[in-house]
């Protein structure tokens, strides 16, 4: 397996050029972004993109995000940039925001599953940016996990899932945010959040006014990816909710133990003492969603290795926890 370590603050450009050459020759390179690791291919090569779908076991109707290094390059691969899109791009790029725009013919239709729109983002991770610049093509990159598993936040997760099927893994350490980019559809008049992610709804609304979230009403979710199982480890994930969350957790723990299952808990530092003696990982305090978000996927992967049942103590109801709550609901198959 070809894993190379790079320091984002002091990037060895000869390694970036090796990775860029692989991409230009139709190969696949996993690289860090500020959200999660991506599985990158030349966005203009249908053949390379088809490999990504095959490696991930990804349904062909689930389109990919094109990663570019600038607003200008985003303009070059789309038909036009509405004013709201421009405002969002100015506010959040480079960074964890994906914009869905009308596409032109540059990016392969295989990447967009035949849709007339294209999801685009400018990542802020400097390794990702250098790779896109030196490859001199837009790079499509889904999260570098096998379809259905939690997204990778460390190079080791990528190696576990797809290491023997790809040409190179760039190890840039643990990713900064830990969950995916927020996907906003700006191809129609009213912007719509298609996937909750790193940038909270209220930050987006501060720039463009009120936005709705797809899937919150009865309509079918618009980001094709949202209808598939997500972030689900092999273990059974149970979301334990208020009221009486500590007692419920103790009871579920005992019942599952009695049934001969290995149980572990995803919890908060605030509850550590209440759950003393049980197998638990406290990800953060109840008022630190950023830290929780950063550790979420790695913790699911870690606990999956040692437990048959993962009890997840539900997160607070506040807006700042909304994206994490969404991921936990999906991991536990508890979708309303
Ligand atoms: O943070 C991220 O966005 C990461 C890093 C690697 O950039 N990428 C990522 O890609 O999460 P992926 O493929 O795992 O998720 C892309 C999501 C899917 O839910 C997909 O359905 C949606 O974006 N999407 C892509 N193109 C779309 C389009 N044209 N219209 C609507 N949704 C789209
Ligand atoms: Mg994904």
């Amino acid at each position: 397996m070809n894993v190379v370590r790079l320091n984002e603050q002091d990037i060895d450009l000869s390694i970036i050029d090796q990775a860029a050459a692989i991409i230009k020759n139709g190969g696949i390179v996993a690289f860090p972004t500020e959200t999660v690791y991506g599985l990158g291919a030349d966005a203009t090569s249908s053949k390379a993109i088809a490999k990504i779908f095959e490696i991930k076991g990804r349904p062909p109707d689930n389109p990919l995000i094109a990663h570019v290094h600038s607003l200008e390059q985003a303009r070059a691969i789309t038909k036009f940039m509405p004013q709201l899109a421009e405002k969002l791009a100015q506010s959040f790029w480079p960074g964890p925001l994906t914009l869905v725009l009308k596409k032109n013919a540059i990016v392969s239709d295989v990447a967009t599953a035949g849709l007339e729109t294209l999801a685009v983002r400018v990542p802020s991770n400097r390794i990702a940016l250098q790779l896109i610049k030196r490859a001199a093509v837009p790079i499509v990159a889904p999260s570098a996990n096998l379809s259905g598993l939690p997204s990778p936040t460390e190079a080791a997760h990528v190696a576990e899932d797809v290491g023997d099927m790809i040409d190179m893994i760039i190890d840039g350490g643990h990713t900064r945010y830990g969950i995916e980019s927020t996907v906003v559809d700006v191809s129609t008049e009213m912007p719509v959040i298609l996937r909750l992610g790193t940038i909270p709804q209220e930050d987006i609304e501060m720039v463009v006014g009120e936005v709705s979230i797809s899937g919150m009403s009865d309509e079918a979710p618009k980001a094709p990816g949202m209808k598939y199982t997500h972030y689900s480890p092999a273990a059974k994930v149970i979301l334990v909710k208020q009221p009486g969350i500590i007692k419920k957790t103790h009871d579920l723990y005992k019942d599952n133990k009695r049934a001969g299952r290995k149980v572990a808990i995803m919890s908060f530092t605030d509850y550590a003492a209440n759950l003393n003696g049980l197998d638990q990982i406290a990800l953060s305090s109840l008022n630190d969603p950023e830290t929780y978000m950063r550790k979420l996927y790695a913790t699911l992967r870690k606990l999956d290795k040692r437990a048959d049942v993962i009890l997840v103590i539900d997160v607070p109801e506040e807006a700042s926890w909304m994206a994490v709550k969404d991921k936990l609901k999906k991991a536990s198959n508890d979708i309303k």
Side-chain angles (χ1 to χ4, degrees), residues 36 56 58 62 142-145 148-149 151-152 180 195 230-231:
V36 300
K56 278 187 62 104
R58 183 176 178 107
N62 190 5
S143 49
N145 52 285
L149 292 185
S151 296
E180 300 83 352
R195 180 180 70 181
H230 270 83
Y231 326 113

Side-chain angles (χ1 to χ4, degrees), residues 35 38 58 62-63 65 67 117 119 121 142-143 180-181 194-195 223-225:
T35 57
R58 183 176 178 107
N62 190 5
I65 298 170
H67 295 66
T117 54
R121 85 178 189 98
S143 49
E180 300 83 352
S181 64
L194 301 184
R195 180 180 70 181

Side-chain angles (χ1 to χ4, degrees), residues 31-39 56 58 61-67 96-101 111-112 115-121 123 141-145 151 179-183 185 194-195 198 222-228 230-231:
F31 62 95
T33 79
E34 68 279 18
T35 57
V36 300
Y37 277 76
L39 207 53
K56 278 187 62 104
R58 183 176 178 107
D61 65 348
N62 190 5
L64 306 180
I65 298 170
H67 295 66
L97 173 73
T98 295
L99 294 176
V100 173
L101 294 155
T112 50
L115 295 176
E116 284 181 0
T117 54
L118 171 68
V120 189
R121 85 178 189 98
S143 49
N145 52 285
S151 296
I179 66 166
E180 300 83 352
S181 64
T182 305
V183 179
D185 187 351
L194 301 184
R195 180 180 70 181
T198 305
K222 253 187 87 193
M226 303 316 285
K227 68 175 186 263
Y228 298 107
H230 270 83
Y231 326 113

Side-chain angles (χ1 to χ4, degrees), residues 9-319:
Q9 304 317 321
D10 180 21
I11 299 172
D12 178 347
L13 288 176
S14 70
I15 303 275
I16 295 286
D17 284 339
Q18 281 174 36
I22 292 173
I23 299 258
K24 274 191 280 194
N25 290 321
I28 310 292
V29 175
F31 62 95
T33 79
E34 68 279 18
T35 57
V36 300
Y37 277 76
L39 207 53
D42 177 352
T44 66
S45 163
S46 301
K47 218 171 136 194
I49 299 164
K51 272 195 230 165
I52 286 193
F53 280 90
E54 195 190 315
I55 291 167
K56 278 187 62 104
R58 183 176 178 107
D61 65 348
N62 190 5
L64 306 180
I65 298 170
H67 295 66
V68 292
H69 60 70
S70 62
L71 181 56
E72 289 63 46
Q73 200 185 12
R75 279 206 187 91
I77 60 173
T78 52
K79 267 204 180 127
F80 74 105
M81 185 79 56
Q83 218 183 341
L84 282 185
E86 175 102 27
K87 264 176 122 177
L88 286 169
Q90 301 283 7
S91 306
F92 298 109
W93 282 355
L97 173 73
T98 295
L99 294 176
V100 173
L101 294 155
K102 291 260 178 355
K103 90 182 274 281
N104 66 19
I106 293 177
V107 170
S108 160
D109 288 335
V110 179
T112 50
L115 295 176
E116 284 181 0
T117 54
L118 171 68
V120 189
R121 85 178 189 98
V122 180
S124 62
N125 180 290
R126 296 185 55 241
I127 295 170
L129 279 175
Q130 286 295 344
L131 180 61
I132 302 161
K133 275 187 195 152
R134 293 178 88 107
V137 285
I139 295 180
V140 282
S143 49
N145 52 285
L146 290 175
S147 250
L149 292 185
S151 296
T153 52
E154 297 169 22
H157 304 157
V158 180
E160 254 168 38
D161 277 21
V162 298
D164 49 2
M165 295 184 274
I166 64 178
D167 301 295
M168 187 189 231
I169 299 175
I170 302 177
D171 179 355
H174 197 292
T175 61
R176 175 163 174 205
Y177 295 116
I179 66 166
E180 300 83 352
S181 64
T182 305
V183 179
V184 183
D185 187 351
V186 279
S187 69
T188 53
E189 210 139 295
M190 283 294 290
V192 181
I193 295 181
L194 301 184
R195 180 180 70 181
L196 295 168
T198 305
I199 299 179
Q201 178 183 15
E202 61 266 33
D203 290 16
I204 304 223
E205 292 188 327
M206 279 205 272
V207 178
V208 294
E210 203 179 318
V211 293
S212 56
I213 303 178
S214 162
M216 292 291 158
S217 61
D218 289 340
E219 57 174 310
K222 253 187 87 193
M226 303 316 285
K227 68 175 186 263
Y228 298 107
T229 318
H230 270 83
Y231 326 113
S232 310
K236 185 176 162 68
V237 178
I238 301 175
L239 194 54
V240 189
K241 297 179 190 174
Q242 296 285 18
I245 213 161
I246 296 297
K247 172 158 193 328
K248 277 186 199 157
T249 305
H250 274 287
D251 290 348
L252 281 165
Y253 197 96
K254 242 185 276 157
D255 293 349
N256 278 288
K257 274 278 183 200
R258 211 172 284 140
R261 300 184 196 106
K262 285 185 263 173
V263 196
I265 306 170
M266 269 173 58
S267 181
F268 294 93
T269 48
D270 312 62
Y271 297 140
N274 307 72
L275 302 170
N276 199 15
L278 309 186
D279 184 7
Q280 60 167 320
I281 293 184
L283 283 79
S284 74
S285 72
L286 285 163
N287 51 29
D288 188 359
E290 283 79 24
T291 300
Y292 193 106
M293 189 161 97
R294 191 159 182 273
K295 293 182 179 172
L296 170 60
Y297 292 150
T299 307
L300 278 172
R301 280 181 182 256
K302 193 189 284 176
L303 292 182
D304 199 21
K305 294 205 173 92
R306 67 179 199 228
D308 308 309
V309 178
I310 302 172
L311 303 177
V312 179
I313 303 224
D314 200 6
V315 301
E317 292 301 324
E318 280 116 64

